[in-house]
Amino acid sequence: MFIVPSSRETRQFHRLFDDAFERVFGPAAVEGVASRSPALDVVEGERAYTVKLEMPGVAKEDVRVSIEGRQVSVQAQAQAQDERKEGERLVYRERSVASFARSFNLPSEVDQAESGAKLEHGVLTLTLPKRSARSAAQITVM
């Protein structure tokens, strides 16, 4: 066994490799549903982090956010919608039900009691105030 040092460049390389692998072989299947790693932006302010993740087609009731110290995990699943009317038949389908999962570490621990989440227009926005104590919790998406 050996230890590989992790840096920003290493993480970016892993994400590029994962994206290339999915383009060639398709997304990994989780319980028969295509699994995706949503793109995210993290902005650090003086007192909090703001994280935005792309999750198209997901309802706020289907999003789970958990925080443990510096680690944030997001899971969601878009529900299947059959929009066909009587007398119509499906000719071609590219849109599918998808599962989203992403975990990441922040430089500072997060105060989960003060954290918030909002899902609007397919973008999940997390407001994560900084904290020094460590504990685990889940937050509710508004």
Side-chain angles (χ1 to χ4, degrees), residues 12-29:
Q12 288 174 339
F13 175 74
H14 286 237
R15 180 141 171 94
L16 287 171
F17 181 80
D18 289 344
D19 291 344
F21 187 85
E22 284 188 357
R23 278 195 301 274
V24 173
F25 297 106

Side-chain angles (χ1 to χ4, degrees), residues 19-62:
D19 291 344
F21 187 85
E22 284 188 357
R23 278 195 301 274
V24 173
F25 297 106
V30 175
E31 297 178 16
V33 176
S35 180
R36 301 177 185 171
S37 179
L40 65 82
D41 293 331
V42 179
V43 177
E44 182 178 7
E46 190 173 311
R47 296 181 180 208
Y49 298 98
T50 301
V51 181
K52 293 187 178 190
L53 295 102
E54 295 177 352
M55 296 189 162
V58 173
K60 65 182 180 180
E61 299 82 24
D62 298 326

